[in-house]
Amino acid sequence: MISQMNFLERIIYLLQNYGTSFLKGAGTTLVIAVVSTFIGCIIGFAVGIVQTIPVNTGRDSLLKRVLLRIVKIFLRIYVEVFRGTPMIVQAVFIYYGAAQLFNIQFGMWTSAFFVVSINTGAYMAESVRGGIISVDPGQMEGAKAIGMTHFQAMLHVIIPQAFRNIIPQIGNNFIINIKDTSVLSIISIVDLFFVHKSVAGALYTYFESATIVMAMYLVMTLVSSRLLLLWEKKLDGDDNYELVDTMGVGRQFGGTDAPTREGR
């Protein structure tokens, strides 16, 4: 019967009969993308911060320098491996290879979150490292000059500025994860792309099903991009500032006006 329908009628037929499945698949895609991006950002921040820890040959002990060097080498290998190999290969390796080589049984959901998280973490690590490096070195020097330790300076001065610098990259990774979760269908994750393959394979409606899925991916990415842009603008604060005279400041400077810049 479906073979006698035209293109638009087949799309309507798929939406009427498999619309719920498409929506559930889209929900699975979003859950994996959101959770994995969040975990990946945590991993990325941890790795990026460790990679930027300075080594002082004059004050640091030999043991600390050696251990830090080993950790940095290990983290560099992690970043290069997961940035340099396709996510679909990583999914197959972890889901099937871990059980065969190391006798470690990963469930498909555990594998899905694990793969996307560590893949995102590898990319975020480089973004965080670049964000930290982009902060003016004088910020760290000024923080240490007022008595902050390296940890305190990173936590209260450097990281907040670096975080603001890499927000666009966080959003970019989230958008990428929405699309790249489609490779997880190879380990039987019932995401949006898996639903497409199932429906198209059963009814031979590859073009029609792909059209629906492409539209749904596009809606998810466009809406996510808009929300992330609004979040970024919210962190920027207001664009308008006015000069105000703080109470008593003018009199302290010989009666002259001493306006300060204060945002509303």
Side-chain angles (χ1 to χ4, degrees):
M1 183 182 72
I2 194 172
S3 60
Q4 299 174 352
M5 300 178 181
N6 59 38
F7 175 73
L8 183 59
E9 289 174 339
R10 285 195 291 269
I11 287 182
I12 295 174
Y13 176 84
L14 293 180
L15 290 174
Q16 289 176 340
N17 292 274
Y18 299 96
T20 302
S21 298
F22 282 119
L23 289 175
K24 288 181 179 179
T28 299
T29 294
L30 285 175
V31 168
I32 295 175
V34 170
V35 174
S36 299
T37 302
F38 176 75
I39 298 174
C41 286
I42 295 175
I43 296 172
F45 268 93
V47 175
I49 290 171
V50 171
Q51 287 180 323
T52 57
I53 294 177
V55 176
N56 191 318
T57 56
R59 291 186 302 176
D60 295 335
S61 65
L62 177 62
L63 178 61
K64 178 181 177 180
R65 297 200 304 269
V66 171
L67 289 177
L68 188 57
R69 179 64 176 171
I70 293 173
V71 171
K72 286 186 176 182
I73 291 174
F74 175 78
L75 294 179
R76 172 54 55 184
I77 293 173
Y78 153 67
V79 170
E80 294 300 332
V81 168
F82 283 93
R83 289 178 68 218
T85 57
M87 189 187 291
I88 190 170
V89 177
Q90 297 165 15
V92 172
F93 178 82
I94 291 174
Y95 185 65
Y96 297 107
Q100 182 176 349
L101 296 178
F102 309 109
N103 198 28
I104 300 176
Q105 300 291 337
F106 281 115
M108 62 181 183
W109 279 99
T110 303
S111 299
F113 286 119
F114 184 71
V115 169
V116 182
S117 296
I118 59 177
N119 184 277
T120 303
Y123 283 94
M124 283 303 305
E126 288 300 288
S127 299
V128 171
R129 186 178 67 85
I132 292 174
I133 294 175
S134 68
V135 177
D136 190 340
Q139 299 286 319
M140 176 63 76
E141 296 172 2
K144 290 185 175 181
I146 62 175
M148 286 188 177
T149 64
H150 179 80
F151 175 79
Q152 290 173 328
M154 289 292 293
L155 181 64
H156 299 291
V157 179
I158 305 301
I159 296 300
Q161 297 181 68
F163 177 74
R164 176 61 189 83
N165 292 339
I166 65 175
I167 283 179
Q169 187 59 37
I170 294 175
N172 185 52
N173 282 325
F174 177 63
I175 299 301
I176 290 174
N177 284 341
I178 290 177
K179 298 179 293 182
D180 283 358
T181 52
S182 59
V183 306
L184 298 176
S185 61
I186 198 171
I187 59 174
S188 301
I189 292 294
V190 188
D191 69 333
L192 184 55
F193 186 73
F194 185 93
V195 174
H196 156 66
K197 290 200 305 180
S198 301
V199 172
L203 301 176
Y204 300 100
T205 53
Y206 292 95
F207 186 38
E208 295 81 4
S209 180
T211 300
I212 294 172
V213 169
M214 285 183 65
M216 295 181 73
Y217 274 118
L218 184 60
V219 169
M220 287 191 291
T221 54
L222 288 177
V223 171
S224 299
S225 297
R226 182 59 182 170
L227 292 176
L228 290 166
L229 182 61
L230 293 175
W231 180 42
E232 186 177 345
K233 289 183 176 180
K234 182 69 175 179
L235 292 179
D236 283 340
D238 294 334
D239 293 332
N240 297 324
Y241 295 86
E242 65 178 7
L243 296 176
V244 297
D245 186 11
T246 56
M247 185 174 60
V249 171
R251 291 188 294 272
Q252 292 177 4
F253 291 90
T256 60
D257 293 334
T260 59
R261 195 180 189 190
E262 182 176 292
R264 291 187 299 174

